[in-house]
Amino acid sequence: MSRRTLLAAALLAAQVAVLAAIFRAAPAGLPWWYGAAWALFAAAVWALRGVPGPAAGRLVLAGGLAVIATGLLGPPATSTDSYRYAWDGRVQSAGLSPYDHAPADPALAALRDPWLFPACSEGHFYPVEGDTCTRINRPGVHTIYPPLAEAYFLLVDRLSPEGARHAPLQVAGALVAAGVLVVLVVLRRRAANRAVYWAACWAWCPAVPMEAVNNAHVDLLAVAAVVLALGAVPRGAVAGRGLLLGAAVAIKLVPAVALPGALSGALAGREGARRALRTLLPAVLLVAAAYLPYVLASRSSVLGYLSGYLAEEGYDEAGARDRYGLVRWLLPDSWALPAVLAVLAALLFHVLRHGDPDRPERGALLLTGSALLLLTPGYSWYALLVVALVALDGRWEWLGVPLAGAAAYLVPGAGTPAYALAAALVIAGAAARSGRAGAPWPPRRLPAAPGRAAPPP
């Protein structure tokens, strides 16, 4: 075993130990522990560059499974969203639409149990009525999740044993995260430079066990659909790609910003336009078909609390929260939203006109990462998609975006400066790559000279 392999394995083992401590003991100073996990992750991926190909693949897989498994060691550490997932699944199992009743609705009192609705004296929960509280955030509003997410919640509820609580959602998250890992390793082995170590950007990233497994965010399912659509579906199978991207949007609306990546080059000629239409139409039809059963079964709007959520988060009034933070450093608050829309429209045109149809993940990463930098959301799990797209495309500088999202979520007041540093990293990475005349980082492996061994990746 080479020294580089030992170094990468040692750094990875230290990262796993830190993550295990976070999820098992919930230590004081969580942001510092989580920051340490990110630092070890960066160092381990750097060390992995010098590991020979086959050994790198085995280390990525084994280490990735260990990292993912740490998320199963304790209850949700930083988010209460999975409690809403469990409740929505239970409501549907009772034959009711999750869009018709808020968790605090007395009409659903018969579905309550001491786990989701404990006494207020048992901890700091959300009040419902009297001495009853709930672990479910925003108990007075209807669900916000799209239809395929709701179908997933129903499936998990039906398959869960009695009293399983949060464990089934975490186990499902771990299985999907591991599946994405395997797909990424296979795709990277098939890539021109066979740089398997890029899959470690997903496999070892602390955001995966934290957000996809421990907090069990449904965003992971949408990420899996996008990875399959952009990485595994052949270029010619545009209808299949469109269906997968439509499924991603019907799971969580955020991946809609990545969809134009599959339309790269659509404005470059008639063939590009036809290909884009054959991709976009199945996506739209699938979203409509997914919503239809819930529209027919629901008396209330299937958009749920979406408009209220956008207002609550400050997206309708710049300055109400820390949204549009980077733009508001440069422009008046009233100009923030128009400026963001203008920049995103320009990037969209660039992808549609100049994007590479053979590299749809590149356009998807540009649009998704840029949208998060411009909108500066306060929730870190939105950037899980960025982590997966980095593993597909190999543009490491975008990993600053999920790290900035974590800082925004865990450290009050740190969001905008963290996103500024992430934007600077993206600019620096792009400038360095441009200076190398478009060569990828790390450099592609060169063929070995006669009589000499090939250099390590």
Side-chain angles (χ1 to χ4, degrees):
M1 184 178 294
S2 69
R3 290 182 179 179
R4 206 59 180 255
T5 304
L6 288 173
L7 176 60
L11 290 167
L12 181 60
Q15 181 194 349
V16 169
V18 170
L19 289 169
I22 290 174
F23 297 128
R24 284 188 64 85
L30 176 61
W32 293 104
W33 283 82
Y34 196 46
W38 271 88
L40 289 166
F41 158 63
V45 173
W46 173 83
L48 186 67
R49 291 186 304 135
V51 177
R58 291 191 294 270
L59 190 55
V60 168
L61 279 171
L65 293 176
V67 168
I68 288 169
T70 61
L72 301 171
L73 296 178
T78 60
S79 171
T80 57
D81 284 0
S82 63
Y83 300 123
R84 170 77 74 158
Y85 303 169
W87 175 252
D88 282 2
R90 183 180 302 178
V91 168
Q92 292 178 87
S93 289
L96 302 171
S97 169
Y99 300 105
D100 284 345
H101 301 277
D105 191 336
L108 302 185
L111 299 180
R112 298 175 184 174
D113 66 359
W115 171 55
L116 287 179
F117 291 85
C120 296
S121 58
E122 295 182 21
H124 299 286
F125 303 119
Y126 303 92
V128 176
E129 57 188 8
D131 185 44
T132 301
C133 284
T134 183
R135 299 178 189 272
I136 305 169
N137 60 55
R138 302 181 182 90
V141 302
H142 295 182
T143 192
I144 193 175
Y145 299 102
L148 290 189
E150 292 296 336
Y152 168 69
F153 305 154
L154 173 60
L155 176 64
V156 173
D157 182 78
R158 290 289 180 86
L159 296 177
S160 300
E162 189 72 24
R165 300 191 173 191
H166 58 268
L169 285 164
Q170 289 184 337
V171 171
L175 292 174
V176 176
V180 172
L181 162 59
V182 172
V183 170
L184 287 171
V185 168
V186 171
L187 291 175
R188 295 309 312 186
R189 281 178 172 167
R190 292 178 179 175
N193 60 352
R194 298 179 62 83
V196 178
Y197 47 77
W198 281 121
C201 290
W202 169 266
W204 299 356
C205 181
V208 174
M210 175 66 82
E211 307 301 353
V213 183
N214 185 259
N215 290 326
H217 283 291
V218 73
D219 304 61
L220 173 63
L221 279 184
V223 169
V226 171
V227 167
L228 289 173
L230 301 184
V233 174
R235 178 183 175 184
V238 290
R241 178 173 288 176
L243 289 173
L244 283 168
L245 291 171
V249 175
I251 293 168
K252 196 73 183 280
L253 300 178
V254 172
V257 74
L259 193 153
L263 313 181
S264 295
L267 301 181
R270 290 185 178 180
E271 178 57 33
R274 287 195 292 267
R275 185 182 66 253
L277 182 61
R278 294 198 303 269
T279 303
L280 192 58
L281 185 59
V284 173
L285 291 176
L286 189 139
V287 172
Y291 268 106
L292 182 60
Y294 285 94
V295 170
L296 297 176
S298 305
R299 298 187 303 273
S300 300
S301 170
V302 292
L303 296 180
Y305 185 57
L306 179 60
S307 61
Y309 171 80
L310 294 175
E312 178 185 309
E313 288 299 307
Y315 286 111
D316 63 341
E317 182 181 352
R321 298 283 296 272
D322 290 332
R323 308 295 82 88
Y324 316 114
L326 301 186
V327 176
R328 289 168 52 219
W329 275 2
L330 305 174
L331 299 172
D333 285 359
S334 60
W335 293 14
L337 179 57
V340 166
L341 294 176
V343 173
L344 289 178
L347 292 174
L348 175 62
F349 176 80
H350 172 77
V351 170
L352 296 180
R353 182 68 179 84
H354 303 289
D356 184 353
D358 293 325
R359 298 298 300 273
E361 68 277 5
R362 182 153 295 175
L365 178 58
L366 174 64
L367 285 168
T368 305
S370 298
L372 294 177
L373 287 175
L374 292 168
L375 297 173
T376 57
Y379 297 119
S380 52
W381 47 92
Y382 293 168
L384 275 174
L385 180 56
V386 171
V387 177
L389 290 172
V390 167
L392 276 176
D393 187 48
R395 295 185 174 245
W396 58 270
E397 62 268 23
W398 287 100
L399 285 174
V401 175
L403 181 56
Y409 186 63
L410 297 175
V411 184
T416 301
Y419 278 113
L421 291 174
L425 182 62
V426 168
I427 294 171
R433 186 174 287 104
S434 176
R436 292 192 297 269
W441 185 95
R444 295 181 184 273
R445 299 182 68 181
L446 298 176
R452 298 183 60 183

